[in-house]
Amino acid sequence: MKKTNAVITAVGGYVPDYIMTNQELSTMVDTTDEWIMSRVGIKERHILKGEGKGTSDMGVEAIKDIFAKTGTTPDEIDMVICATVTPDHPFPATANIIADKAGIKNAHSFDLNGACSGFIYALDTASRFIESGAKKKIIVVGADKMSSIVDYTDRTTCVLFGDAGAAVLLEPTQEEVGIKDRILQSDGSGRVHLHMKAGGSVHPSSHETIDKRMHYIYQEGQHVFKHAVSRMADVSVEIMERNGMTSDDLAWLVPHQANLRIIGATADRMNLDKNKVMVNIERYGNTTAATIPLCLWEWEKQLKKGDNLILASFGAGFTWGSIYLKWGYDGK
Ligand code: UT7
């Protein structure tokens, strides 16, 4: 019997309307467009505005995009995974809420917290359900409302992040396309360098945690940068080599968008030409779990059936990894 592969058959995306420029940030904290562009490569980011709007609202728009493009109906979906660090609520899972808002009633749905690696962790998880035959149509969402946990008085973090949601539809195929290999890793000792101090079971929310500004992203940028550069490049090179590929065989690197310098260093280690690297950090900033599917969404029209793609990320945890896949359809 032929092996069943898990292949992406559609991509959807959503970015909120409001654009926060470096200029606007420079009126809030002591920063400049020049610093942000030269150190990180971000020009602007989209911010979800509106009372009562959360991560699910972006995830559901991305799914509607998939339904509109493919004619898939909500009833056909049998699983929804949402990768996020900014769930609508601590519980229930944002995936449950997204499924409800999208009219998906025949699925089991859950969240997965892999921080910036959340999307590739979730894609890997979903692919196992497809390959085993347990599920037929899975939606994997990567969505984050980072503005809900950004401290807009902290110039070292507030310039970095934006809000977005994107999603892929994953289906079985007997063809030689889809997810071919993956390397996923984590090291929890890295948590000291990037985390949110309160709001969990160790430091439940209290007047004190709020007064001490413990509900925001805490990041020691240089430490994270150092690990990100080596880890993301290591797994990207390793997955390329162990699948017998050189940079010539690769159509695209789809990297997590945290810092243009990290992306550049990864591409250099892979000996990859810059025009084979998806980069949109300039317009969206770091949207955490959404960066990789957002790239796929933007580049979808250029992708061709059989293209070799490597998805790679590094984030809080630490979590990092790479997925090698063969794209399943010609862009329309
Ligand atoms: O996606 C999750 C994983 N996260 C990452 O991968 C992020 C990894 N880290 C980074 O991308 C970089 O470390 C940052 C972009 C966060 C910071 O860049 P850096 O080149 O490492 O800067 P730095 O932290 O070494 O700071 C250099 C200087 C400092 O001033 P002094 O001490 O030299 O006087 C900072 O206070 O730049 C200052 N600085 C700023 N200046 C203007 C920090 N943030 C800003 C700012 N505007 N927004």
Side-chain angles (χ1 to χ4, degrees):
M1 214 169 83
K2 266 190 125 178
K3 181 175 177 288
T4 298
N5 294 312
V7 66
I8 292 172
T9 54
V11 192
Y14 174 79
V15 287
D17 293 335
Y18 187 83
I19 295 173
M20 182 182 275
T21 61
N22 290 349
Q23 163 60 28
E24 180 178 352
L25 278 163
S26 70
T27 66
M28 298 156 70
V29 290
D30 181 15
T31 193
T32 59
D33 176 62
E34 199 276 327
W35 191 94
I36 303 169
M37 279 303 285
S38 63
R39 307 305 293 173
V40 205
I42 301 170
K43 197 90 197 153
E44 57 194 34
R45 64 293 286 145
H46 291 242
I47 302 295
L48 183 64
K49 300 267 187 184
E51 193 65 28
K53 293 270 185 205
T55 294
S56 69
D57 295 294
M58 297 186 289
V60 79
E61 290 302 324
I63 293 179
K64 281 185 192 163
D65 191 17
I66 288 178
F67 288 166
K69 278 178 182 168
T70 61
T72 307
T73 62
D75 284 350
E76 295 173 64
I77 305 301
D78 48 17
M79 186 159 143
V80 178
I81 308 179
C82 178
T84 189
V85 293
T86 51
D88 282 16
H89 307 278
F91 72 89
T94 300
N96 305 156
I97 301 169
I98 290 174
D100 178 51
K101 288 180 177 176
I104 296 170
K105 298 196 186 314
N106 300 325
H108 87 273
S109 53
F110 60 93
D111 287 358
L112 189 153
N113 182 340
C116 296
S117 307
F119 179 77
I120 64 168
Y121 273 34
L123 186 63
D124 171 56
T125 304
S127 72
R128 311 289 184 168
F129 280 85
I130 297 281
E131 288 166 4
S132 72
K135 301 286 180 184
K136 295 277 179 262
K137 285 183 195 278
I138 303 180
I139 285 184
V140 180
V141 179
D144 270 301
K145 183 185 172 186
M146 295 306 290
S147 61
S148 66
I149 58 168
V150 161
D151 180 352
Y152 285 101
T153 67
D154 173 11
R155 71 173 182 174
T156 69
T157 52
C158 75
V159 302
L160 305 175
F161 296 96
D163 302 337
V168 299
L169 178 61
L170 205 64
E171 297 186 72
T173 180
Q174 308 294 318
E175 291 187 56
E176 277 307 313
V177 291
I179 290 164
K180 308 291 280 181
D181 196 12
R182 60 280 265 181
I183 303 171
L184 299 176
Q185 292 176 336
S186 64
D187 176 1
S189 69
R191 68 191 180 280
V192 294
H193 305 300
L194 179 52
H195 59 271
M196 187 195 285
K197 294 193 181 297
S201 56
V202 172
H203 294 296
S205 311
S206 66
H207 284 291
E208 192 192 350
T209 62
I210 289 168
D211 289 345
K212 289 186 172 166
R213 310 188 72 80
M214 293 166 74
H215 293 268
Y216 297 117
I217 298 161
Y218 170 83
Q219 176 168 255
E220 294 161 7
Q222 281 185 8
H223 279 279
V224 180
F225 186 90
K226 204 173 64 193
H227 287 275
V229 163
S230 63
R231 303 294 201 190
M232 206 161 109
D234 284 350
V235 289
S236 303
V237 169
E238 187 184 342
I239 206 160
M240 193 166 75
E241 286 178 355
R242 82 180 191 189
N243 286 281
M245 290 191 289
T246 69
S247 52
D248 291 342
D249 304 310
L250 206 58
W252 294 102
L253 169 67
V254 193
H256 172 52
Q257 313 276 311
N259 189 318
L260 193 55
R261 290 183 290 145
I262 299 174
I263 297 170
T266 303
D268 286 348
R269 279 273 309 280
M270 297 170 81
N271 196 23
L272 202 61
D273 200 280
K274 295 254 180 306
N275 63 20
K276 289 183 167 190
V277 185
M278 295 187 192
V279 178
N280 59 14
I281 187 173
E282 185 167 335
R283 283 172 293 123
Y284 302 125
N286 182 349
T287 57
T288 302
T291 59
I292 289 177
L294 206 60
C295 280
L296 295 175
W297 175 61
E298 285 212 322
W299 267 263
E300 186 188 21
K301 286 192 175 67
Q302 296 179 50
L303 296 173
K304 299 265 173 298
K305 187 171 181 177
D307 276 354
N308 288 318
L309 270 61
I310 288 180
L311 322 185
S313 70
F314 180 88
F318 294 140
T319 57
W320 68 99
S322 59
I323 287 183
Y324 160 42
L325 60 84
K326 261 191 196 299
W327 195 250
Y329 58 97
D330 290 330
K332 321 157 184 100

